[in-house]
Amino acid sequence: MKVTVLSGGVGGARFLRGLIDVLPQTDVTIVGNVGDDLELLGLHVSPDIDTVLYTLSGAGDAERGWGRADESWRALDTVAQLGGDTWFLLGDRDIGLHLFRTEALRSGQPLSAVMARIARGFGLELTLLPATDDTLRTWVDTPAGSFPFQQWFVARRFEDEVDGIRYVGAAEARPAPGVIAAIEAADLLLITPSNPYVSIEPILAVEEIRTAVLARTVPCVAVSPLIGGKAVKGPADRMLRRLAGGTTAAHVARCYTGLIDALVLDEADADDAPAVAALGVTPVVTRTLMRDPETRRALAETALGATGSVL
Ligand code: FO1
């Protein structure tokens, strides 16, 4: 069964880890968020795609959820000694990847081609695609001003309330090669348990991607990132409350109007199931907290079976 997955960073990567336990990697295509990419110290950093890469290849730091395991920070120590920017933590091993990617991008290779080489280099057999090779950046509008995503998220610890979100460059962005074909060839589309606004929407902000998902002839299943109306990590619940008016599973489903056929939601939110169903979306209630390989795998299996698809 060919599966194409729209994914954010940490939560998305954990879910995908379960998915590749139950599906051959060669059947999986991941379309990753580039809205939170940044240029730092002259390097192109793609945090969400790298988080997926590291997590799925086993190179990631499981505790933090991002960056590499067995990391050291000596390069950044030098930057600090010289008074440079150290608000975004780049480890030495991570920097090696950024050096390789930045050089390839500067030589004119598109991000998708570079990421394909990197994924192979890390031993992955699945297809890991950025949503676009064009520059698309998420900006967050807050009462304290407008910030590029990582400035708000990391430097300001997502403390400012969010009044609005913009996906700068989305109007001109084209899908990366292979994205539309993967959506059209899939037997099932999945949306990972990620923040709808800053992880998934930057992918769907590329008009041709949204249109392809809207035009699907196969089921699309999303997994809610909330448990008991709360985000496991990060600002998804606060953003939903402020931007969507609430944190029920129905509020999550409404972020994906016309785009999903089923929503996997946690047992703690089971009371929301009728409201989800009323939106024409099949609610699938299960345990969604991914604590270990077994719970990750079970969630992946539930998502794969959500609309009656057979493994
Ligand atoms: N997240 C942090 O909270 N602080 C950091 O300093 C940080 C550095 C970092 C470096 C490389 C990388 O691939 C990810 C990194 N992240 C860091 C995670 C990242 O900012 C977010 O988790 C995602 O962008 C949100 O999806």
Side-chain angles (χ1 to χ4, degrees):
M1 176 166 67
K2 298 248 177 260
V3 177
T4 296
V5 193
L6 311 189
S7 178
V10 177
R14 288 212 171 108
F15 173 80
L16 287 163
R17 186 122 192 224
L19 189 71
I20 62 167
D21 274 352
V22 297
L23 282 181
Q25 285 201 22
T26 45
D27 281 355
V28 177
T29 299
I30 299 160
V31 180
N33 170 34
V34 293
D36 60 358
D37 284 17
L38 69 165
E39 285 273 333
L40 199 66
L41 300 166
L43 302 173
H44 180 104
V45 184
S46 293
D48 275 7
I49 293 179
D50 293 351
T51 296
V52 170
L53 172 88
Y54 291 152
T55 303
L56 298 191
S57 63
D61 184 296
E63 187 96 345
R64 274 199 311 272
W66 52 266
R68 289 195 63 168
D70 202 13
E71 187 57 284
S72 56
W73 309 91
R74 302 177 82 161
L76 212 62
D77 286 346
T78 304
V79 176
Q81 184 187 339
L82 300 174
D85 261 351
T86 56
W87 60 274
F88 196 77
L89 298 176
L90 295 179
D92 299 334
R93 305 181 94 189
D94 192 27
I95 284 173
L97 184 146
H98 305 318
L99 289 170
F100 178 86
R101 174 170 48 213
T102 304
E103 183 187 55
L105 290 173
R106 294 222 172 109
S107 78
Q109 294 174 49
L111 182 61
S112 53
V114 186
M115 287 314 302
R117 287 169 63 202
I118 292 174
R120 293 294 163 269
F122 273 75
L124 294 181
E125 291 177 355
L126 48 75
T127 304
L128 176 56
L129 296 170
T132 179
D133 283 332
D134 300 323
T135 303
L136 184 162
R137 295 286 178 269
T138 301
W139 279 71
V140 183
D141 298 331
T142 82
S146 293
F147 303 100
F149 175 76
Q150 298 292 356
Q151 282 280 349
W152 171 74
F153 188 81
V154 173
R156 300 178 68 85
R157 301 195 180 99
F158 52 84
E159 280 168 3
D160 318 278
E161 292 298 344
V162 178
D163 292 328
I165 306 176
R166 287 173 292 125
Y167 311 102
V168 175
E172 299 81 37
R174 304 288 318 279
V179 169
I180 299 300
I183 292 170
E184 289 176 351
D187 299 306
L188 178 71
L189 301 174
L190 293 176
I191 297 178
T192 58
S194 302
N195 186 317
Y197 296 105
V198 295
S199 297
I200 304 301
E201 190 55 35
I203 302 172
L204 295 165
V206 179
E207 198 54 45
E208 288 169 69
I209 299 183
R210 179 181 296 276
T211 302
V213 177
L214 283 169
R216 71 195 177 281
T217 53
V218 298
C220 180
V221 178
V223 181
S224 170
L226 302 183
I227 298 183
K230 294 204 165 60
V232 177
K233 205 179 162 202
D237 47 0
R238 275 174 54 211
M239 295 177 78
L240 273 154
R241 194 170 301 115
R242 195 163 164 99
L243 300 173
T247 61
T248 71
H251 289 95
V252 175
R254 261 188 235 115
C255 292
Y256 300 128
T257 298
L259 296 162
I260 60 170
D261 304 288
L263 180 70
V264 178
L265 52 118
D266 194 80
E267 285 175 355
D269 302 302
D271 290 351
D272 302 341
V276 172
L279 297 169
V281 173
T282 304
V284 179
V285 179
T286 189
R287 288 199 185 157
T288 62
L289 186 65
M290 295 174 282
R291 275 178 280 107
D292 49 38
E294 286 69 42
T295 48
R296 283 197 298 259
R297 204 171 317 143
L299 183 59
E301 275 171 347
T302 301
L304 288 173
T307 58
S309 328
V310 222
L311 268 181

